[in-house]
Amino acid sequence: MNPTHVRTRGDSDRKDLSYPPLPQPLTSGVYDNHTHLEIADGDQALDYREQLDRASSVGVKGVVQVGTDLATSRWGAQIAAIEPRVLAAVAIHPNDTPELEAQGLLDEHLAGIDELAALPRVRAVGETGLDFFRTGEDGRAAQFRAFEAHIEIAKKHNLALQIHDRDAHNEVVETLLRVGAPERTVFHCFSGDVELAEICIKNGWYMSLSGTVTFKNAHNLRRVLDIAPRSLLMIETDAPYLTPTPFRGRPNAPYLIPYTLRAIAEYLDLDPVMLATQLSSNTEAVYGRWDHDPIRSQTGPNDRTKSTQ
């Protein structure tokens, strides 16, 4: 496996493939709780170590490297094992599940995710969920089956759950309530409205905001900020996608988190230091500390104590 990248982003329509400039450093550190360092992007693709060094230089203390299939999940787990600024999330992306099901490989790949979930610096199962934008009705049964399996893996290993939810808000919520959501559940790249936010608030589910909150037409996300408790907010890049304004369309990276954080702080009329401190605390409550392995309990080899301990 290539130690630098697993895949390359294919986006031929973008005009500017240069990485944006470094932002002014944050004076209080924060984490990128969802990124894809395995994807090569830009006119000069950055090695994951350079990505992390740039992030460190502007106050981004660490990242959650997120898998979307068995190969990228293994890559993320391997990087997290040797890099103290990285924790890993492992999963099969919902859009990949129908084809795996058709090939008779879904159970084998889910078993691989279960095995990776037992590793100490794998702290989340994700991204998993439902995507009705790219997958038609004939593929939805596989998505539901895989989503429920991922939920059970997260609960088995006492890990956080990172949800991919696209055009499937009602079905995602129904599944979480029916099956039982893990104790720490995060809506990655939150794209819902106030109604979904109210459901998240009621159930204690986290809402992770990306660069989309800075987009001019993202009025629904800014209305969510009006009602969301600060204790349930998180921040991410989803790099190399969803680059914040004013660099929309160019390659995204964890070092660009300060642009999004300052935009949120400005909208909420908050001191960016206060917001960064809150978001950092929330992130550690969900995933644990970056600087040590989670403490194992005495009840079994795969059990973990709560990440807040």
Side-chain angles (χ1 to χ4, degrees):
M1 182 179 295
N2 188 315
T4 302
H5 298 107
V6 180
R7 59 183 56 172
T8 300
R9 180 181 180 183
D11 244 289
S12 59
D13 294 336
R14 292 183 297 157
K15 296 179 180 179
D16 189 347
L17 295 179
S18 65
Y19 274 89
L22 289 169
Q24 180 182 353
L26 297 168
T27 56
S28 180
V30 75
Y31 298 97
D32 179 355
N33 101 103
H34 188 111
T35 195
H36 299 282
L37 298 179
E38 83 283 3
I39 302 176
D41 192 29
D43 52 8
Q44 294 183 334
L46 301 178
D47 176 274
Y48 77 88
R49 288 157 291 202
E50 184 173 355
Q51 292 271 26
L52 294 168
D53 288 345
R54 288 189 179 193
S56 297
S57 74
V58 297
V60 179
K61 299 186 288 184
V63 307
V64 179
Q65 163 62 29
V66 179
T68 56
D69 57 22
L70 203 48
T72 56
S73 294
R74 285 174 176 155
W75 187 89
Q78 291 168 358
I79 298 303
I82 62 173
E83 170 52 65
R85 293 169 292 183
V86 175
L87 297 178
V90 297
I92 309 299
H93 194 284
N95 286 323
D96 291 342
T97 58
E99 183 176 353
L100 289 173
E101 183 79 289
Q103 295 173 346
L105 296 174
L106 183 55
D107 287 328
E108 177 184 334
H109 283 237
L110 289 170
I113 295 300
D114 186 25
E115 183 178 350
L116 291 171
L119 298 175
R121 288 183 66 80
V122 172
R123 304 287 182 83
V125 173
E127 56 189 284
T128 180
L130 301 172
D131 188 321
F132 296 166
F133 178 77
R134 297 181 188 172
T135 300
E137 290 193 17
D138 57 340
R140 291 184 182 181
Q143 286 199 359
F144 275 106
R145 186 166 85 83
F147 185 25
E148 293 183 22
H150 282 93
I151 292 171
E152 294 306 322
I153 291 170
K155 290 193 290 188
K156 173 184 175 182
H157 297 281
N158 192 22
L159 298 178
L161 183 75
Q162 283 204 8
I163 291 174
H164 173 100
D165 166 23
R166 190 167 187 186
D167 292 355
H169 299 327
N170 292 337
E171 291 82 358
V172 166
V173 169
E174 187 278 329
T175 302
L176 290 172
L177 295 177
R178 174 171 50 81
V179 177
E183 180 181 354
R184 302 179 303 283
T185 294
V186 181
F187 276 69
H188 135 68
C189 191
F190 186 84
S191 61
D193 54 14
V194 167
E195 181 180 359
L196 180 59
E198 289 174 341
I199 294 172
C200 289
I201 294 165
K202 178 180 178 181
N203 290 280
W205 299 335
Y206 292 82
M207 293 160 277
S208 179
L209 298 170
S210 70
T212 55
V213 75
T214 71
F215 295 174
K216 185 177 180 180
N217 62 348
H219 306 296
N220 62 317
L221 295 180
R222 289 186 282 274
R223 284 194 289 269
V224 166
L225 286 174
D226 291 333
I227 68 165
R230 309 288 182 263
S231 60
L232 290 179
L233 292 179
M234 302 177 74
I235 195 166
E236 65 174 85
T237 57
D238 197 22
Y241 311 103
L242 307 180
T243 313
T245 302
F247 306 108
R248 188 174 180 179
R250 293 168 68 177
N252 201 4
Y255 75 83
L256 298 175
I257 276 277
Y259 289 111
T260 301
L261 185 142
R262 290 189 172 104
I264 294 172
E266 181 179 5
Y267 178 79
L268 293 174
D269 195 23
L270 284 177
D271 182 341
V273 172
M274 293 181 61
L275 180 60
T277 300
Q278 177 73 69
L279 295 176
S280 181
S281 176
N282 296 347
T283 308
E284 290 185 353
V286 171
Y287 304 109
R289 296 278 297 274
W290 264 249
D291 59 0
H292 62 71
D293 290 345
I295 301 170
R296 301 284 182 165
S297 74
Q298 300 301 313
T299 57
N302 291 328
D303 293 330
R304 302 167 186 239
T305 57
K306 292 181 180 179
S307 62
T308 52
Q309 291 184 339

